[in-house]
């Protein structure tokens, strides 16, 4: 976090910095909750207020503009990753990679262990598509119907669906939140995913154990699996489904394990899938290029399959990219004018140890979901507020990115007025307050992270060779 103050300027007071933050919060709430609009313009108004506060404190417009530019510059590597991910999703669908993975995932359905199977199926679907919303809106809806036929309470089924969907979302290299968190915290994508595997692994194992125990209390000897069978038949009719189609997914996993940087690693997955599309699906080069930009548009005659597979492409990432850019403009101004430091200093007075710092990060992200009504803003606020504090305490940035995503990403759907909670309730047909207690993974995840932080488990120190210059004081997005 930038702390130098140019000649003629002064450090902002806490109340002045809060004016900028409150203006952003009120603007977002009005935009999303009152008017049902996207948060971008409200966030730009927050940038304007933060700039006015900076001018009041004596910062020149050049300094303020440089802060915006620095913020946007930090976001550029993340935008490149998002573009490549958008291309990957579209190409993986048209090549048959995603349809094959979905087909085998659905085959895992076993009525005898329905609840843990639901978690696993949704986890697989979300992991390979990178979207919790897409998973719940398709596979999740189908599983709600199956669960009802088996005699399970719908809030319980919805909780299992969301647990799996958000596990896959936060662990998938295709997910926008999984790319945003490390970029804003200052680490790379695959380091972030590996570091999350400790806390996320514990949370998902506990979730599956709980779901298995609960599932033993319900019978259901027969069920109507017609909807799932129809999806399986549709996938077979419209795509070549065989084990060879898993090769691109395996390649991405291998390069992730080998610590290859995200952009070339994901690009390998794109080219491998493109070859599969030409060789197995008979896709033309022009169709591949069109899908890479505009995404795949399914027309199989099955609404569930069409809804799940109609996505991807470079253009599909423009919403998230523009959100990241505007958010980084706000963060850049807040950093350059020391407003973010004024707020962080007040919060950090309560953080006397590494454990309390991680607890403060988790609670800040959850509070942001309650106030800002958007998981993306929660990620931005958590990562940007605490990045400097983690460096000053000698903690590697992956500790911050893990704490942020273990709290911001998974708790948005637990807030009824958050965009995540509103969407999931409407999609699954179960009220947020009804399913929230049963979305075990979504509230176990931040609790496990707090436990690991307090106990000092898997906390990675900052590498000694990493420079602590002014330039390194800015978060370095994923490469």
């Amino acid at each position: 976090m930038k702390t130098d103050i140019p000649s003629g300027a002064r450090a902002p007071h806490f109340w002045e910095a809060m004016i900028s933050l409150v203006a952003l919060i009120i603007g977002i709430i009005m935009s999303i909750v009152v008017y049902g609009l996207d948060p971008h313009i409200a966030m730009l108004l927050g940038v304007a207020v933060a700039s006015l506060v900076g001018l009041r404190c004596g910062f020149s417009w050049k300094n303020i503009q440089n802060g915006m530019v620095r913020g946007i510059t930090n976001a550029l590597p993340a935008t490149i990753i998002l573009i490549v991910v958008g291309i990957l999703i579209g190409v993986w669908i048209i090549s048959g990679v995603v349809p094959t993975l979905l087909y085998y995932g659905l085959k895992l359905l076993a009525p005898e262990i329905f609840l843990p199977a639901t978690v696993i199926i949704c986890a697989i679907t979300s992991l390979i598509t990178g979207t919790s919303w897409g998973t719940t809106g398709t596979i999740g809806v189908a599983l709600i119907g199956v669960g009802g036929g088996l005699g399970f309470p719908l809030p319980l089924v919805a909780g299992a669906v969301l647990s799996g969907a958000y596990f896959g979302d936060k662990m998938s290299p295709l997910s926008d939140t999984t790319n945003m968190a490390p970029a804003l915290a200052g680490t790379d994508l695959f380091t972030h995913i590996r570091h999350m595997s400790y806390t996320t692994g514990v949370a998902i194992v506990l979730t599956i154990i709980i779901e298995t125990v609960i599932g033993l209390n319900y019978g259901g000897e027969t069920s109507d699996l017609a909807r799932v069978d129809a999806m399986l038949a549709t996938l077979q009719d419209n795509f070549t489904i065989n084990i060879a189609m898993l090769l691109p997914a395996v390649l991405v996993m291998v390069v992730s394990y080998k610590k290859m940087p995200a952009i070339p690693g994901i690009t390998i997955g794109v080219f491998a899938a493109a070859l599969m599309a030409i060789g197995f699906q008979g896709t033309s080069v022009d169709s591949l290029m069109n899908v890479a930009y505009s995404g795949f548009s399914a027309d199989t005659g099955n609404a569930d399959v069409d809804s799940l597979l109609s996505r991807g492409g470079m253009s599909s990432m423009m919403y998230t990219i523009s959100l990241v850019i505007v958010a980084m403009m706000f963060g850049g101004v807040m950093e350059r004018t020391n407003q973010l430091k004024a707020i962080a200093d007040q919060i950090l007075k309560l953080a006397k140890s590494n454990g309390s710092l991680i607890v403060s990060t988790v609670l800040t992200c959850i509070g942001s979901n309650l106030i800002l009504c958007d998981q993306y803003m929660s990620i931005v606020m958590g990562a940007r507020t605490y990045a400097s504090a983690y460096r000053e305490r000698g903690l590697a940035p992956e500790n911050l990115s893990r704490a942020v995503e273990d709290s911001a990403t998974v708790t948005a759907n637990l807030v009824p007025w958050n965009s995540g909670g509103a969407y999931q309730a409407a999609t699954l047909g179960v009220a947020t307050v009804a399913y929230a207690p049963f979305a075990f993974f979504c509230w176990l995840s931040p609790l496990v992270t707090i436990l690991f932080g307090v106990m000092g488990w898997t906390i990675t120190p900052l590498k000694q060779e990493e420079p602590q210059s002014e330039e390194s004081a800015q978060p370095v997005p994923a490469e």
Side-chain angles (χ1 to χ4, degrees):
M1 188 180 298
K2 200 172 184 65
T3 57
D4 63 308
I5 299 177
S7 176
R10 62 171 174 82
H13 300 299
F14 173 69
W15 65 268
E16 290 174 317
M18 285 303 298
I19 289 176
S20 300
L21 183 59
V22 170
L24 178 73
I25 292 172
I26 293 177
I28 291 176
I29 292 176
M30 292 291 291
S31 180
I32 295 176
V33 178
V34 178
Y35 297 109
L37 303 174
D38 294 322
H40 300 63
I41 302 304
M43 291 167 60
L44 278 175
L45 294 176
V47 174
V49 172
S51 299
L52 290 174
V53 171
L55 292 172
R56 170 186 166 82
C57 295
F59 289 85
S60 67
W61 173 251
K62 183 178 181 180
N63 281 322
I64 293 172
Q65 180 174 288
N66 285 341
M68 294 184 194
V69 172
R70 182 185 289 271
I72 294 173
T73 301
N74 288 333
L76 289 179
T79 63
I80 296 174
I81 292 175
L82 289 170
I83 288 172
V84 178
V85 166
I87 295 172
L88 177 70
I89 294 172
V91 173
W92 271 26
I93 294 174
I94 196 172
S95 67
V97 176
V98 170
T100 296
L101 289 167
L102 293 178
Y103 180 86
Y104 290 134
L106 286 172
K107 281 290 190 179
L108 292 175
L109 184 63
E112 299 79 15
I113 52 170
F114 175 73
L115 288 178
T118 294
V119 174
I120 294 171
I121 291 169
C122 291
I124 292 173
T125 303
S126 188
L127 189 64
I128 61 180
T129 61
T131 169
S132 55
W133 285 23
T135 298
T136 57
T138 51
I139 299 297
V141 172
L143 290 170
I144 285 286
V146 174
L150 288 169
F152 289 91
L154 295 187
L156 190 58
V157 180
V161 168
L162 291 168
S163 292
Y166 277 88
F167 164 81
D169 192 324
K170 72 191 291 286
M171 294 300 289
S172 173
L174 310 183
S175 169
D176 47 8
T177 60
T178 309
N179 282 276
M180 282 182 64
L184 296 175
T187 187
D188 67 90
L189 173 63
F190 292 131
T191 297
H192 170 62
I193 292 176
R194 285 193 299 271
H195 199 59
M196 277 200 303
S197 65
Y198 300 111
T199 54
T200 303
V202 172
I204 194 63
V205 168
L206 289 174
T207 297
I208 292 176
I209 291 174
I210 293 171
E211 299 287 10
T212 301
V213 172
I214 294 177
L216 296 177
N217 296 322
Y218 294 90
E221 297 179 357
T222 60
S223 61
D224 182 9
L225 301 178
R227 192 171 186 178
V228 174
D229 290 339
M231 295 179 69
L232 292 172
T234 300
L235 291 171
Q236 282 187 309
D237 292 341
N238 289 271
F239 298 93
T240 298
I241 305 292
N242 60 59
I243 198 71
M245 304 308 302
L246 300 178
L247 178 60
V250 173
L251 283 175
V252 171
M253 294 177 186
V254 170
V255 298
S256 173
Y257 179 77
K258 295 293 185 181
K259 301 183 180 181
M260 179 178 288
I263 293 174
I266 296 173
T267 301
I268 287 176
V270 172
F271 282 107
L275 294 175
M276 304 292 277
I278 295 172
F280 288 87
Q281 310 296 341
T283 306
S284 62
V285 174
D286 61 323
S287 294
L288 267 175
M289 295 179 68
N290 181 62
V291 166
Y293 177 75
S294 300
F296 185 79
S297 180
D299 185 19
T300 65
N302 184 302
D304 292 322
V305 174
D306 291 346
S307 177
L308 182 62
L309 298 183
S310 296
R311 60 187 309 267
M314 183 190 299
S315 61
S316 69
M317 291 296 178
M318 292 303 124
Y319 177 96
T320 302
I321 289 172
S322 61
L323 181 66
V324 170
I325 290 175
V326 176
M328 295 300 285
M329 288 174 61
F330 178 80
V333 174
M334 293 289 285
E335 279 192 321
R336 187 63 189 90
T337 60
N338 274 26
Q339 295 181 64
L340 197 58
K341 184 177 186 298
I343 296 173
D345 286 345
Q346 293 297 316
I347 298 174
L348 290 171
K349 287 180 180 179
L350 303 175
K352 305 299 184 181
S353 64
N354 290 344
S356 60
L357 178 60
I358 291 174
V359 172
S360 298
T361 305
V362 170
L363 295 181
T364 297
C365 291
I366 295 175
S368 297
N369 266 329
L370 290 167
I371 297 172
L372 301 180
C373 308
D374 184 84
Q375 67 179 7
Y376 298 108
M377 282 305 303
S378 298
I379 291 172
V380 171
M381 292 301 296
R384 300 297 281 176
T385 299
Y386 292 97
S388 178
Y390 276 71
R391 284 192 300 272
E392 291 171 1
R393 288 185 181 272
L395 298 177
E398 55 262 35
N399 299 297
L400 171 60
S401 64
R402 180 173 75 180
V404 167
E405 189 156 19
D406 279 357
S407 52
T409 299
V410 299
T411 61
N413 70 96
L414 303 180
V415 181
W417 54 87
N418 190 290
S419 58
Y423 170 84
Q424 301 298 357
T427 300
L428 299 176
V430 182
T432 306
V433 293
Y435 70 63
F438 304 106
F440 300 114
F441 176 80
C442 298
W443 53 261
L444 277 173
S445 188
L447 290 179
V448 171
T449 300
I450 289 175
L451 176 63
F452 272 56
V454 171
M455 300 302 295
W457 297 337
T458 67
I459 303 301
T460 304
L462 190 67
K463 294 180 180 178
Q464 293 299 318
E465 64 270 22
E466 290 186 13
Q468 295 297 307
S469 64
E470 177 181 313
E471 291 300 318
S472 69
Q474 295 294 325
V476 181
E479 298 181 1

